[in-house]
Amino acid sequence: MTWTVAPEPFDCADAALLRRDYYGEVAGRYWGRPATDAEIDKGLTGDGAELLRAPTGDFLVGRFDGRPAACAGLVLVDGGTAELTRVFVRPEFRGTGGGGLLLAAVEDRARALGTALLRLDTRHDLVEARGLYAKHGYREVPAFSDGPYAQRWFAKELPGGQGSAA
């Protein structure tokens, strides 16, 4: 059983289904009940996904034995900073190492784009995600955004990125 992670268009069939599953899970956890298809459709409308392609970002899909199993987005903020977004591993693939491989691939892609700092915001209730970030060197930082679902903020310096000391 092996993982692969590679950039894919955010709107290709597999990526679109992963983004849909991501939104369904985070919305459902927030509301305390499963999100309906109509709520997922509404949430994905105007969600800024168009930033997940060059020149403003990228989107990566993780595959477990060829099956789409995970995703993560990258949005360039300025010359040296990018934001990590839409990090998701389908529940049946959690605990197989895919989350760490996904983060490593996003960090490599961010470095290739000249990023020295990768940051993200998340919610209090997404404890698995917060644990993943902490395990892979992301540290809590002061708030840098004020979105309605931003409750915790993390960042990681990327050695080898533009403006880094490495």
Side-chain angles (χ1 to χ4, degrees):
M1 304 290 184
T2 59
W3 276 96
T4 59
V5 181
E8 295 190 25
F10 74 90
D11 53 355
C12 74
D14 288 340
L17 286 173
L18 283 162
R19 288 181 38 246
R20 187 172 187 79
D21 288 353
Y22 159 81
Y23 190 83
E25 180 169 326
V26 297
R29 287 175 74 164
Y30 184 78
W31 294 325
R33 60 166 175 79
T36 66
D37 285 340
E39 289 168 332
I40 294 170
D41 291 341
K42 183 178 178 183
L44 291 172
T45 301
D47 71 342
E50 67 279 356
L51 297 173
L52 302 173
R53 64 176 165 223
T56 54
D58 210 349
F59 194 76
L60 287 86
V61 170
R63 294 178 179 277
F64 189 77
D65 281 347
R67 297 177 6 217
C71 64
L74 180 69
V75 177
L76 301 175
V77 176
D78 60 33
T81 303
E83 288 189 11
L84 182 59
T85 184
R86 295 167 183 86
V87 177
F88 176 69
V89 178
R90 285 186 167 141
E92 62 268 30
F93 299 103
R94 292 178 187 160
T96 64
L101 293 171
L102 186 64
L103 288 179
V106 169
E107 291 166 12
D108 287 345
R109 185 67 187 127
R111 273 192 283 287
L113 294 172
T115 299
L117 181 70
L118 192 53
R119 67 185 191 187
L120 63 102
D121 61 49
T122 190
R123 297 192 327 239
H124 297 306
D125 65 321
L126 299 177
V127 294
E128 302 91 344
R130 291 184 4 241
L132 177 70
Y133 303 136
K135 178 180 177 181
H136 291 279
Y138 290 78
R139 68 189 191 309
E140 288 206 52
V141 297
F144 56 81
S145 63
D146 62 358
Y149 308 110
Q151 298 170 326
R152 304 287 277 272
W153 297 263
F154 290 82
K156 181 176 182 178
E157 291 184 21
L158 301 176
Q162 177 182 340
S164 71

